[in-house]
Coordinates of all heavy atoms in Angstrom, one line a residue:
N18 N 0.1 -12.0 0.6 CA -0.4 -13.4 0.7 C -1.2 -13.6 2.0 O -1.6 -14.7 2.2 CB 0.6 -14.3 0.5 CG 1.7 -14.3 1.7 OD1 1.5 -13.6 2.6 ND2 2.8 -15.0 1.6
G19 N -1.4 -12.6 2.8 CA -2.2 -12.8 4.0 C -1.4 -13.2 5.2 O -1.9 -13.3 6.4
M20 N 0.0 -13.5 5.0 CA 0.8 -13.9 6.1 C 1.2 -12.7 6.9 O 1.5 -11.6 6.2 CB 1.9 -14.7 5.6 CG 1.7 -15.9 4.8 SD 0.9 -17.2 5.8 CE 2.3 -17.6 6.8
V21 N 1.3 -12.8 8.2 CA 1.9 -11.7 9.0 C 3.4 -11.7 8.8 O 4.1 -12.7 8.9 CB 1.5 -12.0 10.5 CG1 2.1 -10.9 11.4 CG2 0.0 -12.0 10.6
N22 N 3.9 -10.5 8.6 CA 5.4 -10.3 8.5 C 5.9 -9.6 9.7 O 5.2 -8.9 10.5 CB 5.7 -9.6 7.2 CG 5.1 -8.2 7.2 OD1 5.4 -7.4 8.0 ND2 4.3 -7.9 6.1
E23 N 7.1 -9.7 10.0 CA 7.7 -9.2 11.2 C 7.7 -7.7 11.3 O 7.7 -7.1 12.4 CB 9.2 -9.6 11.4 CG 10.1 -9.3 10.3 CD 11.5 -9.9 10.5 OE1 11.5 -11.2 10.5 OE2 12.4 -9.2 10.7
Q24 N 7.4 -6.9 10.1 CA 7.2 -5.4 10.3 C 5.8 -5.0 10.4 O 5.6 -3.9 10.5 CB 7.8 -4.9 8.9 CG 9.3 -5.0 8.8 CD 9.6 -6.3 8.0 OE1 8.8 -6.9 7.3 NE2 10.8 -6.8 8.3
N25 N 4.9 -6.0 10.5 CA 3.5 -5.7 10.6 C 3.0 -4.7 9.5 O 2.2 -3.8 9.8 CB 3.1 -5.1 11.9 CG 3.3 -6.1 13.0 OD1 3.1 -7.3 12.9 ND2 3.8 -5.7 14.2
Y26 N 3.5 -4.9 8.3 CA 3.2 -4.0 7.2 C 2.6 -4.6 6.1 O 2.9 -5.7 5.7 CB 4.6 -3.4 6.6 CG 4.6 -2.3 5.8 CD1 4.3 -1.0 6.2 CD2 4.6 -2.4 4.4 CE1 4.2 0.1 5.4 CE2 4.6 -1.3 3.5 CZ 4.4 -0.1 4.0 OH 4.3 1.0 3.1
A27 N 1.5 -4.0 5.6 CA 0.7 -4.5 4.5 C 0.1 -3.4 3.7 O -0.7 -2.6 4.3 CB -0.4 -5.5 5.0
I28 N 0.3 -3.4 2.5 CA -0.3 -2.4 1.5 C -0.2 -1.0 2.0 O -1.2 -0.3 2.0 CB -1.7 -2.8 1.1 CG1 -1.7 -4.3 0.7 CG2 -2.2 -2.0 -0.1 CD1 -3.1 -4.8 0.4
G29 N 0.8 -0.6 2.6 CA 1.1 0.8 3.1 C 0.6 1.0 4.4 O 0.7 2.1 4.9
W30 N 0.1 0.1 5.2 CA -0.4 0.2 6.5 C 0.3 -0.7 7.5 O 0.6 -1.8 7.1 CB -2.0 0.0 6.6 CG -2.8 0.9 5.9 CD1 -3.2 0.8 4.6 CD2 -3.3 2.2 6.4 NE1 -3.9 1.9 4.2 CE2 -4.1 2.8 5.3 CE3 -3.2 2.8 7.6 CZ2 -4.7 4.0 5.5 CZ3 -3.8 4.1 7.6 CH2 -4.5 4.6 6.6
R31 N 0.6 -0.2 8.7 CA 1.0 -1.1 9.8 C -0.1 -1.4 10.8 O -0.8 -0.4 11.0 CB 2.2 -0.4 10.5 CG 3.5 -0.3 9.6 CD 4.7 0.1 10.4 NE 5.8 0.5 9.5 CZ 6.6 -0.5 9.1 NH1 6.5 -1.7 9.3 NH2 7.6 -0.1 8.2
V32 N -0.2 -2.6 11.2 CA -1.1 -3.0 12.1 C -0.5 -3.5 13.4 O 0.4 -4.3 13.3 CB -2.0 -4.2 11.5 CG1 -3.0 -4.6 12.5 CG2 -2.6 -3.8 10.2
D33 N -0.9 -2.9 14.5 CA -0.2 -3.2 15.7 C -1.3 -3.3 16.8 O -2.4 -2.9 16.7 CB 0.8 -2.1 16.1 CG 2.0 -2.1 15.2 OD1 2.7 -3.2 15.2 OD2 2.3 -1.1 14.7
V34 N -0.8 -3.8 18.0 CA -1.6 -3.8 19.2 C -0.8 -3.1 20.3 O 0.4 -3.4 20.4 CB -1.9 -5.3 19.8 CG1 -2.6 -5.2 21.1 CG2 -2.7 -6.1 18.7
S35 N -1.4 -2.1 20.9 CA -0.7 -1.2 21.8 C -0.2 -2.0 23.1 O -1.0 -2.8 23.6 CB -1.6 0.0 22.2 OG -0.9 0.8 23.1
E36 N 1.0 -1.9 23.5 CA 1.5 -2.6 24.7 C 1.5 -1.5 25.9 O 1.1 -1.9 27.0 CB 2.9 -3.1 24.5 CG 2.9 -4.3 23.4 CD 4.2 -4.8 23.2 OE1 5.2 -4.5 23.9 OE2 4.3 -5.5 22.1
K37 N 1.9 -0.3 25.7 CA 2.0 0.7 26.8 C 0.9 1.7 26.7 O 0.3 1.8 27.7 CB 3.4 1.4 26.7 CG 4.5 0.5 26.8 CD 5.9 1.3 26.7 CE 7.0 0.4 26.9 NZ 8.3 1.0 26.7
F38 N 0.6 2.3 25.6 CA -0.4 3.2 25.5 C -1.7 2.5 25.1 O -1.8 1.8 24.1 CB -0.1 4.3 24.5 CG -1.2 5.3 24.2 CD1 -1.5 6.2 25.2 CD2 -2.0 5.3 23.0 CE1 -2.5 7.1 24.9 CE2 -3.0 6.2 22.8 CZ -3.2 7.1 23.7
L39 N -2.7 2.5 26.0 CA -3.9 1.8 25.7 C -3.7 0.3 25.6 O -4.0 -0.3 24.5 CB -4.8 2.4 24.5 CG -5.1 3.8 24.5 CD1 -5.6 4.3 23.2 CD2 -6.0 4.1 25.6
P40 N -3.1 -0.4 26.5 CA -2.7 -1.8 26.3 C -3.8 -2.7 25.8 O -5.0 -2.6 26.1 CB -2.4 -2.2 27.8 CG -2.0 -0.9 28.5 CD -2.9 0.2 27.8
G41 N -3.4 -3.4 24.8 CA -4.4 -4.4 24.2 C -5.2 -3.9 23.1 O -6.0 -4.5 22.4
T42 N -5.1 -2.5 22.9 CA -5.9 -1.8 21.8 C -5.2 -2.0 20.4 O -4.1 -1.6 20.3 CB -6.1 -0.3 22.1 OG1 -6.7 -0.3 23.4 CG2 -7.0 0.3 21.1
S43 N -6.0 -2.5 19.4 CA -5.4 -2.5 18.1 C -5.5 -1.1 17.4 O -6.4 -0.4 17.7 CB -6.3 -3.5 17.3 OG -6.3 -4.8 17.8
Y44 N -4.5 -0.9 16.6 CA -4.5 0.3 15.8 C -3.7 0.1 14.5 O -3.0 -0.9 14.3 CB -3.8 1.5 16.6 CG -2.4 1.3 16.9 CD1 -1.4 2.0 16.3 CD2 -2.0 0.5 18.0 CE1 -0.1 1.8 16.6 CE2 -0.7 0.3 18.4 CZ 0.3 1.0 17.7 OH 1.6 0.9 18.0
V45 N -4.2 0.8 13.5 CA -3.5 0.8 12.2 C -3.0 2.2 11.8 O -3.7 3.2 12.2 CB -4.7 0.5 11.1 CG1 -4.2 0.4 9.8 CG2 -5.4 -0.8 11.5
H46 N -1.8 2.3 11.3 CA -1.2 3.5 11.1 C -0.3 3.6 9.8 O 0.1 2.6 9.3 CB -0.4 4.0 12.3 CG 0.7 3.0 12.6 ND1 1.9 3.1 12.2 CD2 0.6 1.8 13.4 CE1 2.7 2.1 12.7 NE2 1.9 1.3 13.5
H47 N -0.2 4.8 9.4 CA 0.8 5.1 8.3 C 1.3 6.5 8.4 O 0.5 7.4 8.8 CB 0.1 4.9 6.9 CG 1.0 5.1 5.8 ND1 1.8 4.1 5.3 CD2 1.2 6.2 4.9 CE1 2.5 4.6 4.3 NE2 2.2 5.8 4.0
G48 N 2.5 6.7 8.1 CA 3.1 8.0 8.1 C 4.0 8.3 6.9 O 4.3 7.4 6.2
G49 N 4.4 9.5 6.8 CA 5.2 9.9 5.7 C 6.0 11.1 6.0 O 5.7 11.9 6.9
V50 N 7.1 11.2 5.3 CA 8.0 12.4 5.5 C 8.3 12.9 4.1 O 8.6 12.1 3.2 CB 9.3 12.0 6.2 CG1 10.2 13.1 6.3 CG2 9.0 11.3 7.5
S51 N 8.3 14.2 3.9 CA 8.8 14.8 2.7 C 9.7 16.0 3.2 O 9.8 16.3 4.4 CB 7.7 15.3 1.8 OG 6.9 16.4 2.4
S52 N 10.2 16.7 2.3 CA 11.1 17.8 2.7 C 10.4 18.9 3.4 O 9.4 19.6 2.7 CB 11.8 18.3 1.4 OG 12.6 19.5 1.7
G53 N 10.6 19.1 4.6 CA 9.9 20.1 5.4 C 8.6 19.7 6.0 O 7.9 20.6 6.5
A54 N 8.1 18.5 5.8 CA 6.8 18.1 6.4 C 6.8 16.7 6.8 O 7.5 15.8 6.3 CB 5.7 18.4 5.3
M55 N 5.8 16.4 7.7 CA 5.6 15.0 8.2 C 4.1 14.8 8.4 O 3.4 15.8 8.7 CB 6.3 14.8 9.6 CG 7.8 15.0 9.4 SD 8.5 14.9 11.1 CE 8.7 13.2 11.3
S56 N 3.7 13.6 8.2 CA 2.3 13.3 8.3 C 2.1 11.9 9.1 O 3.0 11.0 8.9 CB 1.5 13.2 7.0 OG 1.5 14.4 6.4
W57 N 1.0 11.8 9.8 CA 0.8 10.6 10.5 C -0.7 10.3 10.6 O -1.4 11.3 10.9 CB 1.5 10.6 11.9 CG 1.3 9.4 12.7 CD1 0.3 9.2 13.7 CD2 2.0 8.3 12.8 NE1 0.5 8.1 14.3 CE2 1.6 7.3 13.8 CE3 3.1 7.8 12.0 CZ2 2.1 6.1 13.9 CZ3 3.7 6.6 12.3 CH2 3.1 5.7 13.3
L58 N -1.1 9.1 10.3 CA -2.6 8.8 10.4 C -2.6 7.5 11.1 O -2.1 6.5 10.8 CB -3.2 8.7 8.9 CG -4.6 8.3 8.9 CD1 -5.5 9.4 9.4 CD2 -5.1 7.9 7.4
V59 N -3.5 7.6 12.2 CA -3.6 6.4 13.0 C -5.2 6.1 13.3 O -5.9 7.1 13.5 CB -2.9 6.5 14.4 CG1 -3.3 7.7 15.2 CG2 -3.0 5.2 15.2
L60 N -5.5 4.9 13.1 CA -6.9 4.5 13.3 C -7.0 3.5 14.4 O -6.2 2.6 14.5 CB -7.5 3.8 12.0 CG -7.6 4.6 10.8 CD1 -6.3 4.8 10.1 CD2 -8.6 4.0 9.8
Y61 N -8.0 3.8 15.4 CA -8.3 2.9 16.4 C -9.7 2.3 16.2 O -10.6 2.9 16.6 CB -8.2 3.6 17.8 CG -6.9 4.2 18.1 CD1 -6.6 5.6 17.7 CD2 -5.9 3.5 18.8 CE1 -5.3 6.0 18.1 CE2 -4.7 3.9 19.1 CZ -4.4 5.3 18.8 OH -3.2 5.8 19.1
P62 N -9.8 1.1 15.5 CA -11.1 0.7 15.1 C -12.0 0.3 16.3 O -13.2 0.6 16.3 CB -10.8 -0.6 14.3 CG -9.4 -0.5 13.9 CD -8.7 0.4 14.9
D63 N -11.4 -0.2 17.3 CA -12.3 -0.6 18.5 C -12.8 0.7 19.2 O -13.9 0.6 19.9 CB -11.4 -1.4 19.5 CG -11.1 -2.7 18.9 OD1 -11.7 -3.2 17.9 OD2 -10.1 -3.4 19.3
L64 N -12.1 1.8 19.2 CA -12.5 3.0 19.8 C -13.3 4.0 18.9 O -13.8 5.0 19.3 CB -11.3 3.8 20.3 CG -10.4 3.0 21.3 CD1 -9.1 3.9 21.6 CD2 -11.1 2.7 22.5
E65 N -13.4 3.5 17.6 CA -14.1 4.3 16.5 C -13.5 5.7 16.5 O -14.1 6.8 16.5 CB -15.6 4.4 16.8 CG -16.2 3.1 16.7 CD -17.7 3.1 16.9 OE1 -18.3 4.2 17.1 OE2 -18.4 2.0 16.8
L66 N -12.1 5.8 16.5 CA -11.4 7.0 16.6 C -10.3 7.0 15.5 O -9.6 6.0 15.4 CB -10.7 7.2 18.0 CG -9.9 8.4 18.1 CD1 -10.8 9.6 18.1 CD2 -9.2 8.3 19.6
V67 N -10.1 8.2 14.7 CA -9.1 8.3 13.8 C -8.4 9.7 14.2 O -9.1 10.7 14.5 CB -9.7 8.5 12.4 CG1 -8.5 8.7 11.4 CG2 -10.4 7.2 12.0
V68 N -7.1 9.7 14.2 CA -6.3 10.9 14.4 C -5.4 11.1 13.3 O -4.6 10.2 12.9 CB -5.5 10.8 15.7 CG1 -4.6 12.0 16.0 CG2 -6.5 10.6 17.0
A69 N -5.3 12.3 12.7 CA -4.5 12.7 11.7 C -3.6 13.9 12.1 O -4.2 14.8 12.6 CB -5.3 13.1 10.4
L70 N -2.4 13.8 11.8 CA -1.4 14.8 12.3 C -0.6 15.2 11.1 O -0.1 14.4 10.3 CB -0.4 14.3 13.3 CG -1.1 13.8 14.7 CD1 -0.9 12.4 14.8 CD2 -0.5 14.6 15.8
N71 N -0.4 16.5 10.9 CA 0.4 17.0 9.8 C 1.3 18.2 10.4 O 0.7 18.9 11.2 CB -0.4 17.6 8.7 CG -1.2 16.5 7.9 OD1 -0.5 15.6 7.3 ND2 -2.5 16.5 8.0
M72 N 2.5 18.2 10.0 CA 3.4 19.2 10.7 C 4.4 19.7 9.6 O 5.1 18.8 8.9 CB 4.2 18.6 11.8 CG 5.1 19.5 12.5 SD 5.7 18.8 14.1 CE 6.4 17.2 13.6
N73 N 4.6 21.0 9.5 CA 5.7 21.6 8.8 C 6.9 21.6 9.7 O 6.9 22.4 10.7 CB 5.3 22.9 8.2 CG 4.1 22.9 7.3 OD1 4.0 21.9 6.6 ND2 3.4 23.9 7.3
T74 N 7.9 20.9 9.3 CA 9.1 20.8 10.1 C 10.2 20.0 9.5 O 10.0 19.3 8.5 CB 8.9 20.2 11.5 OG1 10.0 20.3 12.4 CG2 8.6 18.7 11.4
V75 N 11.4 20.2 10.0 CA 12.5 19.3 9.6 C 13.1 18.8 10.9 O 13.7 19.5 11.7 CB 13.6 20.2 8.8 CG1 14.8 19.3 8.4 CG2 13.0 20.9 7.6
V76 N 12.9 17.5 11.0 CA 13.5 16.7 12.2 C 14.2 15.4 11.7 O 13.8 15.0 10.6 CB 12.4 16.4 13.2 CG1 11.7 17.6 13.8 CG2 11.3 15.5 12.5
P77 N 15.1 15.0 12.4 CA 15.9 13.9 11.9 C 15.3 12.5 12.0 O 15.6 11.6 11.2 CB 17.2 13.9 12.8 CG 16.8 14.6 14.0 CD 15.7 15.6 13.6
R78 N 14.3 12.4 12.9 CA 13.7 11.0 13.1 C 12.2 11.1 13.0 O 11.6 11.7 13.9 CB 14.1 10.5 14.4 CG 15.6 10.2 14.5 CD 16.0 9.5 15.8 NE 15.3 8.2 15.9 CZ 15.1 7.5 17.0 NH1 15.6 8.0 18.1 NH2 14.4 6.4 16.9
F79 N 11.6 10.3 12.1 CA 10.1 10.4 12.0 C 9.5 9.7 13.2 O 8.4 10.1 13.6 CB 9.8 9.5 10.7 CG 8.3 9.5 10.5 CD1 7.6 10.6 10.3 CD2 7.6 8.3 10.6 CE1 6.2 10.5 10.1 CE2 6.2 8.2 10.4 CZ 5.5 9.4 10.2
A80 N 10.1 8.7 13.8 CA 9.5 8.0 15.0 C 9.2 8.9 16.1 O 8.3 8.8 16.9 CB 10.4 6.9 15.4
D81 N 10.0 10.0 16.3 CA 9.7 11.0 17.4 C 8.4 11.7 17.2 O 7.7 11.9 18.1 CB 10.8 12.0 17.4 CG 12.2 11.4 17.9 OD1 12.2 10.3 18.4 OD2 13.2 12.1 17.7
F82 N 8.0 11.9 15.9 CA 6.8 12.6 15.6 C 5.6 11.6 15.9 O 4.5 12.1 16.4 CB 6.7 13.0 14.1 CG 5.4 13.7 13.6 CD1 5.0 14.9 14.2 CD2 4.7 13.0 12.7 CE1 3.9 15.4 13.8 CE2 3.5 13.7 12.3 CZ 3.1 14.9 12.8
S83 N 5.7 10.4 15.6 CA 4.6 9.4 15.8 C 4.2 9.3 17.3 O 3.0 9.1 17.6 CB 5.0 8.0 15.3 OG 6.0 7.5 16.0
K84 N 5.1 9.6 18.2 CA 4.8 9.5 19.6 C 3.8 10.6 20.0 O 3.0 10.4 21.0 CB 6.0 9.6 20.5 CG 6.9 8.5 20.4 CD 8.2 8.6 21.2 CE 9.1 7.5 20.9 NZ 10.4 7.6 21.6
Q85 N 3.7 11.6 19.3 CA 2.8 12.8 19.6 C 1.4 12.3 19.3 O 0.5 12.9 19.9 CB 3.1 14.1 18.7 CG 4.5 14.6 18.9 CD 4.8 14.8 20.3 OE1 3.9 15.5 21.1 NE2 5.9 14.4 20.9
A86 N 1.2 11.3 18.4 CA -0.2 10.9 18.2 C -0.8 10.3 19.5 O -2.0 10.5 19.7 CB -0.2 9.7 17.2
Q87 N 0.0 9.8 20.4 CA -0.6 9.3 21.7 C -1.1 10.4 22.5 O -2.2 10.2 23.2 CB 0.5 8.5 22.4 CG 0.9 7.2 21.7 CD 2.0 6.6 22.5 OE1 2.6 7.0 23.5 NE2 2.4 5.3 22.0
T88 N -0.4 11.5 22.6 CA -0.8 12.6 23.4 C -2.1 13.2 22.8 O -3.0 13.5 23.6 CB 0.3 13.7 23.3 OG1 1.6 13.2 23.9 CG2 -0.1 14.9 24.2
I89 N -2.2 13.3 21.5 CA -3.4 14.0 20.9 C -4.6 12.9 21.0 O -5.7 13.4 21.3 CB -3.1 14.3 19.4 CG1 -2.1 15.4 19.4 CG2 -4.4 14.6 18.7 CD1 -1.6 15.8 18.1
T90 N -4.3 11.7 20.8 CA -5.3 10.6 20.9 C -5.9 10.7 22.4 O -7.1 10.6 22.6 CB -4.8 9.2 20.7 OG1 -4.3 9.1 19.3 CG2 -5.8 8.2 20.9
Q91 N -5.0 10.8 23.4 CA -5.5 10.9 24.8 C -6.4 12.1 25.0 O -7.4 11.9 25.7 CB -4.3 11.0 25.8 CG -4.8 10.8 27.2 CD -5.5 9.4 27.4 OE1 -4.8 8.3 27.2 NE2 -6.7 9.4 27.9
L92 N -6.1 13.2 24.4 CA -7.0 14.3 24.5 C -8.4 14.0 24.0 O -9.4 14.4 24.6 CB -6.4 15.6 23.8 CG -5.1 16.1 24.3 CD1 -4.6 17.2 23.3 CD2 -5.4 16.7 25.7
F93 N -8.5 13.4 22.8 CA -9.8 12.9 22.3 C -10.5 12.0 23.2 O -11.7 12.1 23.4 CB -9.6 12.4 20.8 CG -9.5 13.4 19.8 CD1 -8.2 13.6 19.3 CD2 -10.6 14.1 19.3 CE1 -8.0 14.6 18.3 CE2 -10.4 15.0 18.3 CZ -9.1 15.3 17.8
L94 N -9.8 11.0 23.7 CA -10.4 10.0 24.6 C -10.9 10.6 25.9 O -12.0 10.3 26.3 CB -9.4 8.9 24.9 CG -9.0 8.0 23.8 CD1 -7.9 7.0 24.2 CD2 -10.2 7.2 23.2
D95 N -10.1 11.6 26.4 CA -10.6 12.3 27.6 C -11.9 13.1 27.3 O -12.9 13.1 28.1 CB -9.6 13.3 28.2 CG -8.3 12.6 28.7 OD1 -8.3 11.3 28.9 OD2 -7.3 13.3 28.9
A96 N -12.0 13.7 26.1 CA -13.2 14.5 25.7 C -14.4 13.5 25.6 O -15.5 13.7 26.0 CB -12.9 15.2 24.5
I97 N -14.1 12.3 25.0 CA -15.2 11.3 24.8 C -15.7 10.8 26.1 O -16.9 10.7 26.3 CB -14.7 10.2 23.9 CG1 -14.6 10.7 22.4 CG2 -15.7 9.0 23.9 CD1 -13.7 9.7 21.6
Q98 N -14.8 10.5 27.0 CA -15.2 9.9 28.3 C -15.8 10.9 29.2 O -16.7 10.4 30.1 CB -14.0 9.3 28.9 CG -13.4 8.2 28.3 CD -12.1 7.7 28.8 OE1 -11.4 8.3 29.6 NE2 -11.6 6.6 28.2
S99 N -15.7 12.2 29.0 CA -16.3 13.2 29.9 C -17.7 13.4 29.5 O -18.4 14.1 30.2 CB -15.5 14.5 29.9 OG -15.6 15.1 28.5
D100 N -18.2 13.0 28.3 CA -19.5 13.1 27.8 C -20.5 12.3 28.6 O -20.4 11.4 29.1 CB -19.7 12.9 26.3 CG -19.1 13.9 25.5 OD1 -18.8 15.0 25.9 OD2 -18.8 13.6 24.3

């Protein structure tokens, strides 16, 4: 219905604003877990950057995997800024 919900979730995507990593930067993300694999897709519209991560693994918490997106995103941002 267009209303913001407390989970920031809409049609399979979460919409957030970064507080610690890239403060004030909006991002949209979605992840998934299946037996032996995890995936994470994050879009930074203001930065015109998309990062997709896929991993074959068995770990107990999906949230731990999502933190890796920040490390990989920073690598891309460093490469972009060095141009």
